[in-house]
Amino acid sequence: MGILHEDVVIIKQTEKEDEATVITINCPDKTGLGCDLCRIILFFGLSIVRGDVSTDGKWCYIVFWVVGKPSTRWSLLKKRLLEACPSCSSANTLIYYPPELLPPKPPDVFLLKFCCHDRQGLLHDVTHVLSELELIIQRVKVSTTPDGMVMDLFFITDTRGVLHTSKRKQDTYDHIKGVVGDKMVSCDIEMVGPEITACSQGPPFLIPPSITEDTFSLEMLDQCQRGSQHSNSVSVNMDNSLSPAHTLIQIVCRDHKGLLYDIMRTLKDYNIQISYGRFTTKGNKDCEIDLFIVQSDGKKIIDPSKQNALCSRIRMELFRPLRVALVNRGPDTELLVANPVELCGKGRPLVFYDITLALKMLNIDIFSAEISRHMIGGREWEVYRVLLDEEEGSCVPRTRIEEAVWSMLMGWE
């Protein structure tokens, strides 16, 4: 079976603002392809409002209906989606990637170091520029001196893979200079070893249980859903009676930013293959998802313990795809956000972007910030620690800060 390269990904842009753009993907299948595609779409700031996927075990056909910002670079999105699709030469077999057998080659890591005079919203503006340049923030260390100077250390990888070139470095410098302006003092980019972003063993120092706990019991989850201020009830059911060859998972929940990505990354981590799936939104809030799935051996999920484990994990990942908490650090307040990392090592896109945007909209300055990875409860987590610069007499309640950050991350702003 063959297909022209330019027809692997087709994007039909809408001419009306209230209509969705249709993305069609027709390529060889592999376990986790849906997760990889949804991550890219999320990185471009788009929301999936409807989706259909089907595969015969070798070839897959996927359609996404997406909405987002008018400035979306559709040609670049198509290029990134094409890169995620397997080669057509691999269509003779379904591709499984056991993470222990095929560890991904780590990308080159670069240190972006710049010093400038501080101003409100500076960190978000720089983060926005890096996002537009497709530079992925792996770790960050931001600190402010008493005299109002900021030293920012961004450990980044380049989606385009050309940050080692002088042209790409100069382009990055020019874009940062464009938002920092005359406040820029120095800026430098150099390659560092990938070990600089290695995961730390053990929980980070002084991270509260609300962040570090890995799983809920079903009873605790039910209590949280009934008492949650976020009203994000999640229903996950599994049925083996409707198909002789597949297990059906039915999900009903409130929509949020990256919802389909959260489902797909969970299935990818469990090495589950989707044979057919449909995702629809009802109004502006509720979503219904039907997925016909098989295990890596091509069989249904019969074992009740495996069924319960998968249902519980999906329910947990949709109810709390991220953890958000405000804690006291002496007289100061620290914002903590954490999200699980995929087994392949990739983190959730645009988390730091959303955090800094929410704080900028609240007119709250950032005194220091840090991103690091830690093994907690047998899983790797990306932890964001932001020390807030609360001026004397600040009138923003803590509950409003936490709610604003959570709403921004969930796309409920």
Side-chain angles (χ1 to χ4, degrees):
M1 184 176 182
I3 187 171
L4 295 176
H5 180 73
E6 59 268 23
D7 293 336
V8 171
V9 177
I10 298 176
I11 299 179
K12 185 179 179 182
Q13 293 178 237
T14 178
E15 296 180 356
K16 299 180 180 179
E17 291 186 2
D18 58 344
E19 292 182 353
T21 292
V22 182
I23 302 175
T24 304
I25 299 157
N26 191 8
C27 69
D29 198 9
K30 73 171 183 179
T31 300
L33 176 61
C35 172
D36 298 340
L37 298 175
C38 289
R39 187 194 314 107
I40 293 170
I41 291 172
L42 179 59
F43 179 79
F44 275 77
L46 301 172
S47 297
I48 301 173
V49 295
R50 180 181 166 194
D52 283 295
V53 56
S54 61
T55 177
D56 60 1
K58 297 180 180 179
W59 202 274
C60 70
Y61 184 75
I62 302 173
V63 184
F64 292 128
W65 286 260
V66 303
V67 295
K69 50 190 179 182
S71 59
T72 300
R73 293 171 290 177
W74 297 105
S75 60
L76 184 58
L77 172 61
K78 178 175 180 176
K79 181 179 179 181
R80 296 293 171 246
L81 293 173
L82 276 170
E83 292 171 350
C85 295
S87 167
C88 293
S89 62
S90 64
N92 61 336
T93 184
L94 176 61
I95 307 171
Y96 289 104
Y97 291 116
E100 68 276 6
L101 297 180
L102 293 172
K105 178 183 178 297
D108 292 331
V109 180
F110 294 82
L111 171 59
L112 167 62
K113 178 172 58 177
F114 71 92
C115 180
C116 64
H117 297 279
D118 195 15
R119 65 168 173 80
Q120 192 171 73
L122 173 66
L123 187 55
H124 173 72
D125 294 342
V126 174
T127 302
H128 177 75
V129 166
L130 297 180
S131 174
E132 291 294 305
L133 291 171
E134 295 188 288
L135 296 172
I136 310 299
I137 301 173
Q138 302 292 340
R139 295 186 69 170
V140 66
K141 182 72 174 179
V142 177
S143 57
T144 306
T145 63
D147 60 352
M149 296 294 291
V150 175
M151 175 60 72
D152 290 354
L153 304 177
F154 288 92
F155 295 92
I156 56 179
T157 57
D158 186 8
T159 302
R160 304 175 192 176
V162 292
L163 192 54
H164 60 281
T165 64
S166 299
K167 181 179 179 181
R168 178 70 159 156
K169 289 181 179 179
Q170 185 62 45
D171 186 44
T172 301
Y173 173 83
D174 291 342
H175 277 79
I176 294 176
K177 178 71 173 178
V179 297
V180 177
D182 294 336
K183 295 181 179 293
M184 176 83 81
V185 175
S186 63
C187 181
D188 184 56
I189 301 174
E190 61 179 284
M191 185 183 294
V192 295
E195 65 277 359
I196 200 72
T197 59
C199 178
S200 301
Q201 298 296 322
F205 182 61
L206 294 180
I207 299 296
S210 59
I211 291 291
T212 59
E213 64 184 2
D214 182 37
T215 57
F216 280 145
S217 66
L218 292 180
E219 292 79 8
M220 186 180 296
L221 181 57
D222 290 338
Q223 291 173 7
C224 288
Q225 289 189 154
R226 287 195 297 268
S228 173
Q229 61 178 318
H230 308 309
S231 183
N232 187 23
S233 178
V234 179
S235 170
V236 181
N237 295 297
M238 194 172 289
D239 193 329
N240 275 317
S241 65
L242 297 179
S243 171
H246 302 89
T247 295
L248 170 63
I249 295 182
Q250 295 179 304
I251 304 170
V252 179
C253 63
R254 182 181 178 183
D255 192 15
H256 68 249
K257 184 188 299 183
L259 170 65
L260 203 54
Y261 165 72
D262 289 322
I263 296 172
M264 294 296 184
R265 67 174 170 83
T266 303
L267 296 178
K268 181 181 179 181
D269 285 352
Y270 274 78
N271 213 11
I272 297 293
Q273 172 70 23
I274 299 174
S275 297
Y276 174 77
R278 173 163 291 180
F279 167 83
T280 57
T281 55
K282 304 293 184 181
N284 294 325
K285 292 185 177 181
D286 296 328
C287 294
E288 295 181 359
I289 304 101
D290 294 329
L291 302 172
F292 288 85
I293 64 172
V294 293
Q295 302 177 99
S296 58
D297 58 5
K299 298 179 180 180
K300 301 166 71 170
I301 305 176
I302 303 297
D303 187 342
S305 62
K306 291 183 178 180
Q307 292 181 5
N308 291 333
L310 181 57
C311 284
S312 297
R313 178 50 61 99
I314 293 175
R315 192 178 296 118
M316 183 69 256
E317 298 299 339
L318 297 186
F319 181 69
R320 295 184 72 192
L322 304 104
R323 315 290 170 87
V324 179
L326 278 175
V327 297
N328 292 324
R329 292 285 183 255
D332 301 315
T333 301
E334 186 173 59
L335 172 69
L336 296 170
V337 178
N339 61 266
V341 177
E342 296 174 39
L343 289 181
C344 67
K346 294 184 178 179
R348 189 184 192 87
L350 301 182
V351 174
F352 196 58
Y353 178 93
D354 286 340
I355 293 171
T356 55
L357 177 57
L359 295 176
K360 180 180 179 180
M361 292 176 66
L362 291 173
N363 294 319
I364 296 177
D365 292 329
I366 296 173
F367 182 77
S368 66
E370 182 177 341
I371 304 174
S372 55
R373 290 191 174 188
H374 302 267
M375 290 299 296
I376 305 172
R379 302 177 70 193
E380 186 176 4
W381 290 77
E382 209 159 40
V383 180
Y384 301 77
R385 305 177 64 175
V386 182
L387 190 63
L388 306 182
D389 187 5
E390 296 179 297
E391 298 180 359
E392 187 174 349
S394 175
C395 59
V396 183
R398 290 168 62 105
T399 53
R400 185 185 173 195
I401 297 174
E402 186 174 340
E403 181 67 25
V405 173
W406 173 260
S407 296
M408 182 67 70
L409 290 166
M410 298 293 280
W412 295 343
E413 72 280 1

